């Protein structure tokens, strides 16, 4: 052994393992491991497939119209909007979208100076607002009220029925139905006040709507004042809540 | 096995080809087993190799071809498996490394070189632990110094130095015994 290389080669020759095959059990174990590892990757389990297909269909149903909306700028179809809203996506509910649309129409009517159109649009806006739950209505109140005030100034009269608070967020007029208050003659006035700064979800959120309408008899001195106070006691915000509604109706005459 | 063939088989193994896995296993098995025998003894060597292959199959997605090829990757896994075994059993028997010199020598050679083999065996047991591991890896795996360096976390120069030191010690020890 004269050099490191020679010694190394000698050792390598001695250490060289004979060409032996692995035991059959070892080979079987390898095949099982390979099958297990790659079978799972190649073919998803049935429930994974169902989830994937379901997800794709759901995505197609919701995604395609939403993409179309994004491209075209046109409004989302109501069923799609409703579905997106229901799954918690940041999309306005159908009612809110309607109310916003009514606001836009009123704004256009005001710009056009067409008093008849203003009156119609204001009445429609009030109907839409009446459909909203309290949280949504409070959110929309600042702009809607301003437009309705403008409409009143423009036409010299209140265009339609009052905004009626709904304690359960599902009906108006305190009667549980969704009918709108019929349009009344000119001297109806409506004021809506929201406490807690007008944001949704405030603890102790409260909105007060006072409506003063002339009597059906048309006597100038007779009028009915309806004050509705809605309490959003749970602070739960714009989903209607479970707050109580207090409605006070006062008839007066000169 | 040519390096290109090994590479093609490794690619096929990554895709889950069982035949490719078997061919690679058959090719590297004798050396894997020899190294495992050297590290943990013949009685548990088979378990170490089986565990290595199971981990290789599970982790094939992480395998990237490098200079040492597929067998360098397998030896890296096997080394970890053996280290884990030592940690669990809390026993390291240095004489096990010497088994490489007696288990795989041809019977005739063993008789002819009996004196040398016995001397080498004892000399091996007297090497520094890290030198012994490096020499065992170099002798059994057939991997170049660079790949062994990567496996043991040292530079290629450090591996060559350790190998020279180990060989010099062996030579001195064998001469001393003779």
């Amino acid at each position: 052994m004269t050099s490191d290389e020679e010694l190394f080669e000698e050792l390598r020759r001695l250490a060289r393992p004979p060409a032996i095959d692995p035991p059959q059990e070892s080979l079987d174990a390898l095949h099982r491991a390979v099958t297990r590892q790659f079978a799972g990757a190649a073919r998803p389990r049935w429930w994974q497939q169902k989830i994937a297909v379901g997800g794709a269909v759901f995505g197609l149903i919701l995604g395609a119209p939403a993409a179309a909306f994004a491209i075209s700028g046109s409004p989302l179809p109501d069923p799609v909007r409703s579905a997106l809203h229901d799954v918690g996506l940041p999309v306005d509910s159908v009612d809110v979208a309607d109310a916003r649309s009514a606001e836009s129409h009123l704004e256009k009517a005001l710009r056009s100076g067409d008093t008849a159109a203003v009156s119609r649009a204001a009445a429609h806006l009030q109907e839409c607002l009446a459909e909203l739950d309290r949280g949504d209505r409070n959110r929309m109140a600042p702009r809607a009220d301003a437009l309705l005030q403008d409409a009143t100034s423009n036409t010299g009269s209140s265009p339609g029925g009052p905004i009626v608070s709904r304690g359960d967020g599902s009906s108006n007029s305190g009667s549980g139905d969704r009918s709108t208050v019929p349009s009344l003659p000119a001297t109806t006035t409506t004021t809506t006040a929201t406490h807690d700064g007008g944001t949704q979800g405030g603890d102790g959120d409260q909105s007060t709507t006072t409506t003063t309408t002339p009597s059906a008899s048309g006597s100038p001195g007779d009028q009915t004042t309806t004050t509705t106070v809605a309490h959003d006691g749970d602070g739960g915000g714009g989903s209607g809540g479970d707050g109580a509604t207090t409605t006070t109706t006062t008839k007066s005459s000169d | 096995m040519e390096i290109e063939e090994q590479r093609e088989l490794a690619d096929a193994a990554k895709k889950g080809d069982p035949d490719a896995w078997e061919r690679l296993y058959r090719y590297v098995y004798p050396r894997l087993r020899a190294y495992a025998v050297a590290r943990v003894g013949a009685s548990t060597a088979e378990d170490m190799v089986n565990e290595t292959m199971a981990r290789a199959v599970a982790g094939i997605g992480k395998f990237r071809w490098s200079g040492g090829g597929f067998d360098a990757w397998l030896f890296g896994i096997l080394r970890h498996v053996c280290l884990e075994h030592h940690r669990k059993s809390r026993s390291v028997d240095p004489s096990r490394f010497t088994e490489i010199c007696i288990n795989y020598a041809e019977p005739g050679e063993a008789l002819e070189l009996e004196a040398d083999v016995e001397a080498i065996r004892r000399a091996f047991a007297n090497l520094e632990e890290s030198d012994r591991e490096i020499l065992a890896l170099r002798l059994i795996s057939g991997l170049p110094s660079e790949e062994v360096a990567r496996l043991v976390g040292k530079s290629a120069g450090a591996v060559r130095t350790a190998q020279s030191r180990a060989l010099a010690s062996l030579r001195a020890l064998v001469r001393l015994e003779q």
Side-chain angles (χ1 to χ4, degrees), chain A residues 1-38, chain B residues 13-16 18 21-22 25-26 29-31 33-34 46 50 53 57-58 60 100 104-105 109 113 116-117 120 135 138-139 142 163-164 167 170-171 175:
Chain A
M1 295 181 193
T2 55
S3 68
D4 281 359
E5 287 78 22
E6 284 172 351
L7 177 58
F8 184 77
E9 285 308 316
E10 180 69 11
L11 289 171
R12 184 130 88 175
R13 192 178 61 79
L14 289 172
R16 185 181 300 139
I20 50 172
D21 284 333
Q24 191 56 46
E25 313 87 75
S26 183
L27 284 170
D28 292 344
L30 176 68
H31 280 283
R32 279 196 303 274
V34 172
T35 304
R36 203 167 40 239
Q37 174 79 8
F38 292 96
Chain B
K14 278 187 99 166
K15 292 172 188 159
W21 275 102
E22 183 172 333
Y25 185 37
R26 284 182 184 278
Y29 172 79
R31 288 178 291 143
R33 188 179 182 283
E46 211 66 60
N50 286 339
M53 292 311 293
V57 171
I60 187 66
I100 60 168
Y104 297 110
E109 287 177 321
L113 299 169
D116 278 347
V117 167
I120 289 169
L135 196 54
R138 288 282 286 123
L139 291 172
Q163 182 179 310
S164 293
L167 290 173
L170 275 180
R171 189 185 296 114
R175 266 195 206 130

Side-chain angles (χ1 to χ4, degrees), chain A residues 99 101-110 114-130 144-155 157-163 180-181 183:
Chain A
S101 172
E103 278 183 343
S104 297
H105 283 135
L106 177 54
E107 206 167 20
K108 277 183 196 166
L110 285 167
D114 180 345
T115 52
V118 168
S119 185
R120 276 197 307 276
H124 180 58
L125 174 57
Q126 285 189 324
E127 285 172 15
C128 290
L129 291 171
D145 281 351
L147 287 169
L148 289 171
Q149 289 292 339
D150 287 350
T152 306
S153 308
N154 187 281
T155 60
S157 64
S158 176
I163 300 171
T180 56
V181 175
S183 293

Side-chain angles (χ1 to χ4, degrees), chain A residues 57-71 76-77 80:
Chain A
V57 170
F58 185 74
L60 208 63
I61 289 169
L62 296 186
F69 164 71
I71 293 164
L76 279 174
V80 176

Side-chain angles (χ1 to χ4, degrees), chain A:
Chain A
M1 295 181 193
T2 55
S3 68
D4 281 359
E5 287 78 22
E6 284 172 351
L7 177 58
F8 184 77
E9 285 308 316
E10 180 69 11
L11 289 171
R12 184 130 88 175
R13 192 178 61 79
L14 289 172
R16 185 181 300 139
I20 50 172
D21 284 333
Q24 191 56 46
E25 313 87 75
S26 183
L27 284 170
D28 292 344
L30 176 68
H31 280 283
R32 279 196 303 274
V34 172
T35 304
R36 203 167 40 239
Q37 174 79 8
F38 292 96
R43 194 181 59 209
R45 292 185 172 84
W46 64 268
W47 54 268
Q48 288 173 321
Q49 288 174 329
K50 283 197 172 181
I51 287 171
V53 170
V57 170
F58 185 74
L60 208 63
I61 289 169
L62 296 186
F69 164 71
I71 293 164
S72 68
S74 60
L76 279 174
D78 284 353
V80 176
R81 178 180 293 284
S82 181
L84 293 173
H85 184 71
D86 288 348
V87 298
L89 292 175
V91 174
D92 285 337
S93 68
V94 174
D95 288 344
V96 170
D98 287 347
R100 289 202 192 286
S101 172
E103 278 183 343
S104 297
H105 283 135
L106 177 54
E107 206 167 20
K108 277 183 196 166
L110 285 167
R111 275 203 301 272
S112 73
D114 180 345
T115 52
V118 168
S119 185
R120 276 197 307 276
H124 180 58
L125 174 57
Q126 285 189 324
E127 285 172 15
C128 290
L129 291 171
E131 296 296 320
L132 299 180
D133 62 38
R134 191 165 51 254
D136 286 340
R137 191 165 52 244
N138 289 345
R139 211 166 62 237
M140 294 196 65
R143 185 168 177 238
D145 281 351
L147 287 169
L148 289 171
Q149 289 292 339
D150 287 350
T152 306
S153 308
N154 187 281
T155 60
S157 64
S158 176
I163 300 171
V164 181
S165 298
R166 293 174 299 166
D168 62 0
S170 63
S171 64
N172 64 2
S173 305
S175 61
D177 64 34
R178 293 173 71 85
S179 63
T180 56
V181 175
S183 293
L184 291 169
T187 54
T188 301
T189 56
T190 302
T191 56
T192 303
T194 304
H195 309 283
D196 90 328
T199 56
Q200 62 170 330
D203 200 3
D205 195 355
Q206 174 177 304
S207 82
T208 305
T209 303
T210 303
T211 305
T212 305
T213 57
S215 71
S217 67
S219 300
D222 292 352
Q223 63 180 26
T224 302
T225 302
T226 304
T227 303
T228 306
V229 181
H231 307 275
D232 191 357
D234 64 355
S239 60
D242 59 357
T245 301
T246 308
T247 303
T248 308
T249 304
T250 310
K251 283 194 174 183
S252 63
S253 58
D254 286 339

Side-chain angles (χ1 to χ4, degrees), chain B residues 31-45:
Chain B
R31 288 178 291 143
L32 285 180
R33 188 179 182 283
Y35 179 75
V37 167
R39 295 302 309 265
V40 300
S43 59
T44 44

Side-chain angles (χ1 to χ4, degrees), chain B residues 53-174:
Chain B
M53 292 311 293
R55 289 189 192 187
V57 171
I60 187 66
K62 292 182 227 160
F63 170 68
R64 300 284 178 275
W65 186 268
S66 64
F70 195 72
D71 39 353
W73 185 61
L74 289 179
F75 269 101
I77 298 172
L78 177 59
R79 182 171 172 269
H80 277 287
V81 171
C82 291
L83 286 173
E84 283 174 19
H85 174 79
H86 282 311
R87 270 199 294 272
K88 281 178 192 165
S89 63
R90 295 170 184 272
S91 69
V92 178
D93 179 3
S95 67
R96 281 177 180 155
F97 282 94
T98 66
E99 292 182 42
I100 60 168
C101 293
I102 55 171
N103 280 354
Y104 297 110
E106 292 295 322
E109 287 177 321
L111 282 174
E112 190 182 329
L113 299 169
E114 193 171 0
D116 278 347
V117 167
E118 279 304 308
I120 289 169
R121 192 181 186 181
R122 281 189 289 274
F124 233 98
N126 284 306
L127 292 177
E128 289 286 324
E129 165 77 26
S130 60
D131 291 355
R132 198 162 47 228
E133 185 188 14
I134 286 170
L135 196 54
L137 268 173
R138 288 282 286 123
L139 291 172
I140 299 170
S141 71
L143 295 172
S145 302
E146 290 74 16
E147 289 305 316
V148 171
R150 191 155 30 183
L151 291 184
V152 298
K154 293 187 173 180
S155 69
V159 165
R160 280 192 285 270
T161 302
Q163 182 179 310
S164 293
R165 190 170 52 234
L167 290 173
S169 296
L170 275 180
R171 189 185 296 114
L173 288 166
V174 169

